[in-house]
Amino acid sequence: MADILYCSSTATFGQPEIKLGIIPGAGGSQRLTKAIGKSRAMELILTGKNFSGVEAGQWGVAARVFDTSEACVQGAIDTASKIAGMSSVAIKAAKEVVNKSQDLPLRDGLEYERKVFHSLFGSKDQKIGTLHDVQTVAWRKHR
């Protein structure tokens, strides 16, 4: 599954496998249920009904919904550019803890996050980031 899912309002999603006499076999039933809840997932999986890009946004399947596919691509490029400007060490750690949250009970996830958070304080990126923030705050105070 993608880290961030963007779509256009005209996008179509679904789990049509039931129409073929099978079930979603690549984790679709598990991921969809976690994303939208049991009742809605049951309806879609048991009927093979599709859902729209607008619904994907409303239900939390998509992070953002754009009016056109062109705007969607541009939005993805803009987000990728912003992410690329962040600390790669912090990005990898953030992805790791968010992905772990899908597999761990909350208590274990919080403990894992705390360990990863503390481990970043030894990184060069954290030192640079902290210095940058302090300089920015100090600069703003002197304006």
Side-chain angles (χ1 to χ4, degrees), residues 54-67:
V54 172
E55 290 169 317
Q58 292 169 343
W59 298 345
V61 174
R64 290 183 59 195
V65 179
F66 296 85
D67 290 334

Side-chain angles (χ1 to χ4, degrees), residues 2 4 6 18 22 25 28 35 42 50 54 65 71 80 89 98 103-104 113 138:
I4 302 170
Y6 288 168
I18 201 80
I22 59 174
M42 280 289 201
N50 289 334
V54 172
V65 179
V89 172
V98 171
D103 302 326
L104 297 174
E113 177 187 69

Side-chain angles (χ1 to χ4, degrees), residues 3-123:
D3 289 330
I4 302 170
L5 192 146
Y6 288 168
C7 68
S8 71
S9 57
T10 60
T12 301
F13 298 91
Q15 297 289 302
E17 291 86 352
I18 201 80
K19 295 175 185 177
L20 304 174
I22 59 174
I23 63 168
S29 66
Q30 305 303 297
R31 291 185 185 99
L32 187 63
T33 302
K34 283 187 177 190
I36 66 173
K38 179 185 174 190
S39 181
R40 208 173 255 154
M42 280 289 201
E43 178 187 27
L44 295 171
I45 291 169
L46 296 178
T47 65
K49 179 182 169 195
N50 289 334
F51 60 101
S52 70
V54 172
E55 290 169 317
Q58 292 169 343
W59 298 345
V61 174
R64 290 183 59 195
V65 179
F66 296 85
D67 290 334
T68 66
S69 57
E70 293 81 9
C72 181
V73 170
Q74 188 58 54
I77 291 168
D78 293 347
T79 298
S81 178
K82 185 170 187 167
I83 292 169
M86 304 294 178
S87 160
S88 62
V89 172
I91 292 292
K92 288 176 188 172
K95 287 179 56 159
E96 184 177 337
V97 297
V98 171
N99 285 331
K100 279 283 190 187
S101 76
Q102 301 299 293
D103 302 326
L104 297 174
L106 180 59
R107 182 177 297 203
D108 295 341
L110 291 169
E111 180 61 30
Y112 185 74
E113 177 187 69
R114 188 173 16 263
K115 288 177 183 177
V116 173
F117 173 77
H118 288 284
S119 75
L120 292 174
F121 279 88
S123 73

